[in-house]
Amino acid sequence: MEVTSVQNGIIIDHVPAGTALKVLEYLNIDPATTKLALIMNADSKRYGSKDIIKIEDDKDIDLDVLGFVARQATVDVVRGGQIVEKKQPNLPEHIVGVIRCVNPRCVTTTEPGIKQMFHLMHTDRHEYRCDYCDEEARF
Ligand SMILES: [Zn+2]
């Protein structure tokens, strides 16, 4: 078992380099009020470089949202300084209210109060499109 600097909490590893703060925002985790450490642009054998988020807190991570914004990420659950569980993010078929559609003519842009909804278009390419206008999701 790998020993980490987190005692009881979680580690979100393999976050795409430079996106850790965005990922926290999407996960509704406030860095100002959460005990956490960010490691940006760490070396990654698999991806060249990556970000790592270490949270010393028993946060519930929404694995749907994580899969939507950072599919390659992994979640380690740490107890007593040891990784006791590894979780993979989900690749949700449908996701509501996480990001905004970037199409300026989309009904969700022009009409207030419409929920932002995206559906999974291609599993392999990890491509999501807006339910209303078919614009590809961009993070
Ligand atoms: Zn749209």
Side-chain angles (χ1 to χ4, degrees):
M1 276 294 177
E2 200 178 330
V3 179
T4 77
S5 53
V6 174
Q7 279 306 304
N8 294 290
I10 56 162
I11 299 169
I12 308 174
D13 201 353
H14 303 111
V15 175
T19 67
L21 285 170
K22 272 277 171 205
V23 168
L24 285 173
E25 189 185 319
Y26 292 131
L27 290 171
N28 268 323
I29 295 172
D30 184 356
T33 58
T34 309
K35 198 173 165 188
L36 59 79
L38 293 181
I39 299 163
M40 312 282 285
N41 301 304
D43 289 334
S44 163
K45 285 194 191 84
R46 224 185 301 174
Y47 304 109
S49 63
K50 64 179 180 179
D51 289 357
I52 306 167
I53 303 167
K54 297 184 174 190
I55 304 174
E56 185 71 50
D57 193 355
D58 228 343
K59 284 270 180 207
D60 253 336
I61 299 296
D62 189 326
L63 292 173
D64 277 4
V65 173
L66 186 62
F68 183 49
V69 300
R71 182 194 185 183
Q72 69 195 44
T74 56
V75 179
D76 298 332
V77 180
V78 182
R79 292 283 176 278
Q82 304 283 317
I83 295 170
V84 295
E85 193 184 349
K86 283 184 180 281
K87 295 180 182 174
Q88 294 293 327
N90 302 326
L91 197 59
E93 287 290 326
H94 200 237
I95 191 122
V96 178
V98 180
I99 63 162
R100 298 190 64 80
C101 181
V102 294
N103 176 4
R105 291 176 311 279
C106 180
V107 67
T108 63
T109 309
T110 56
E111 300 275 330
I114 294 183
K115 279 207 172 109
Q116 301 281 331
M117 298 197 275
F118 289 84
H119 56 275
L120 183 62
M121 192 76 180
H122 290 290
T123 307
D124 293 348
R125 291 216 301 270
H126 186 216
E127 178 182 319
Y128 283 91
R129 288 191 178 271
C130 176
D131 276 14
Y132 301 96
C133 71
D134 242 26
E135 180 81 16
E136 192 173 346
R138 268 176 262 159
F139 302 103

